Amino acid sequence: MTAMDRSRRLPTADEIAEINRRHLIETPLAPADLLFMFGTREDVALRVETAARLWREGYFGWSIVSGGVTPGSEQSECAIIKAAMVEAGIPAQRILEEHRAMNTGANVILSLPIIDAALGLQNIRSVICLGNTWTARRYPMTLHRHWPEVEKMLLTVDSFATPRALWHTDAEFRRRMLHEWDKIGPYKAKGFIAEWPGA
């Protein structure tokens, strides 16, 4: 069965329970030094609206947006998302930019030197990862692989009408979730991500 076919499978009750418990991790949010905005073409407005709310409520002092140019666009995900963040009220000078990443690993690898040059990695003690619900813990797991010292929090958003815990009842939500869940084992084996939280 190919990866695409597998993402169209109907998960068992045990698999649904394991995904809800291990993948859809929710962490308590506390004010952080940095908001890490992972590039996307999905639900950009919702992600930006969430970032703007966090900014207004004092949850971060700096942000980095990471994402390259995707097929069909002349602008990088970073350029599109940052412009929307500024329009939503986040000061442009508080948003660092990474314009080349084409996947989650590159988001982190290419962003770390930018963060270091602007702020000093040693000055960042906590990071909020903001991304899509279905990618879930793979964001902080990727960050943990390359930047284990920093405290990580996870906040995810999606525009599905289906409640998050019932993702398996919506065909497209289910496909996206299973597609991401199936990456965890192989990515850990290849050293792309590291276990988070805990052991």
Side-chain angles (χ1 to χ4, degrees):
M1 190 183 291
T2 67
M4 182 53 79
D5 291 337
R6 275 188 56 74
S7 67
R8 298 200 182 279
R9 71 188 182 277
L10 290 177
T12 64
D14 285 348
E15 189 176 24
I16 291 165
E18 187 178 14
I19 290 171
N20 284 347
R21 181 176 59 83
R22 296 190 60 214
H23 191 57
L24 294 180
I25 290 171
E26 292 186 7
T27 64
L29 279 189
D33 297 317
L34 182 74
L35 176 73
F36 202 123
M37 289 280 278
F38 288 83
T40 187
R41 287 171 290 171
E42 303 283 348
D43 297 334
V44 170
L46 178 58
R47 196 175 299 192
V48 167
E49 176 186 312
T50 304
R53 175 178 57 79
L54 293 175
W55 171 258
R56 289 192 304 271
E57 294 175 1
Y59 275 96
F60 65 94
W62 290 89
S63 177
I64 186 160
V65 184
S66 172
V69 177
T70 54
S73 177
E74 294 181 0
Q75 286 187 294
S76 68
E77 291 175 339
C78 173
I80 292 166
I81 294 169
K82 177 173 180 176
M85 289 171 70
V86 172
E87 191 172 319
I90 301 172
Q93 65 271 23
R94 288 284 175 165
I95 307 171
L96 306 178
E97 304 175 29
E98 188 292 304
H99 291 275
R100 295 185 295 144
M102 299 302 289
N103 57 58
T104 308
N107 286 142
V108 173
I109 291 166
L110 296 174
S111 292
L112 288 180
I114 295 169
I115 297 166
D116 195 25
L119 307 173
L121 291 180
Q122 72 281 2
N123 297 318
I124 306 297
R125 297 173 307 281
S126 54
V127 176
I128 297 171
C129 300
L130 178 57
N132 298 319
T133 294
W134 50 91
T135 308
R137 69 180 173 138
R138 198 160 64 75
Y139 295 122
M141 288 179 81
T142 306
L143 200 59
H144 197 59
R145 163 67 180 80
H146 300 282
W147 197 9
E149 304 83 7
V150 77
E151 179 192 352
K152 297 152 196 81
M153 292 168 271
L154 175 63
L155 179 61
T156 62
V157 297
D158 66 78
S159 58
F160 286 105
T162 305
R164 187 169 299 183
L166 298 178
W167 56 268
H168 55 281
T169 65
D170 179 291
E172 178 58 17
F173 206 170
R174 181 171 64 240
R175 184 193 68 76
R176 293 185 193 184
M177 193 74 75
L178 292 174
H179 183 68
E180 290 295 333
W181 169 250
D182 289 343
K183 291 178 181 178
I184 297 288
Y187 279 21
K188 277 178 66 177
K190 291 175 181 174
F192 294 165
I193 58 179
E195 192 55 64
W196 176 92

